[in-house]
Amino acid sequence: MFCASWLVNRIGAQKGLITAGIVMALRMIVSEIVEGPLLILITKLLHAVELPILLVSLFKDNSLNFDKRL
């Protein structure tokens, strides 16, 4: 989560959401293709990269585009 905030600050909130979407799609596609427990484990670990980027980008985009009182 610490590195995700640095990455989102560097690339921006909207590009962070796009990056999280690409990682999510890649994870779903690759998880259908791979065979064997080691490759499946590595594929499932992509979720650990995707989720922090998605959450940080989502909250940053909301704070930039909507009134903070809401």
Side-chain angles (χ1 to χ4, degrees), residues 25-36:
L26 180 70
R27 181 175 58 91
M28 286 189 277
I29 291 169
V30 171
S31 68
E32 294 179 3
I33 296 171
V34 298
E35 294 179 6

Side-chain angles (χ1 to χ4, degrees), residues 26-32 34 38-47:
L26 180 70
R27 181 175 58 91
M28 286 189 277
I29 291 169
V30 171
S31 68
E32 294 179 3
V34 298
L38 184 62
L39 293 175
I40 292 173
L41 176 72
I42 292 169
T43 303
K44 296 297 180 186
L45 284 175
L46 284 176
H47 189 67

Side-chain angles (χ1 to χ4, degrees), residues 2-67:
F2 175 76
C3 296
S5 62
W6 174 80
L7 180 68
V8 171
N9 283 333
R10 187 162 174 88
I11 65 174
Q14 290 180 345
K15 288 184 182 177
L17 287 170
I18 292 170
T19 303
I22 290 171
V23 171
M24 184 185 308
L26 180 70
R27 181 175 58 91
M28 286 189 277
I29 291 169
V30 171
S31 68
E32 294 179 3
I33 296 171
V34 298
E35 294 179 6
L38 184 62
L39 293 175
I40 292 173
L41 176 72
I42 292 169
T43 303
K44 296 297 180 186
L45 284 175
L46 284 176
H47 189 67
V49 174
E50 166 210 336
L51 190 63
I53 294 172
L54 178 69
L55 290 174
V56 171
S57 297
L58 182 70
F59 286 120
K60 186 172 179 95
D61 191 51
N62 280 343
S63 69
L64 292 174
N65 292 322
F66 296 105
D67 190 14

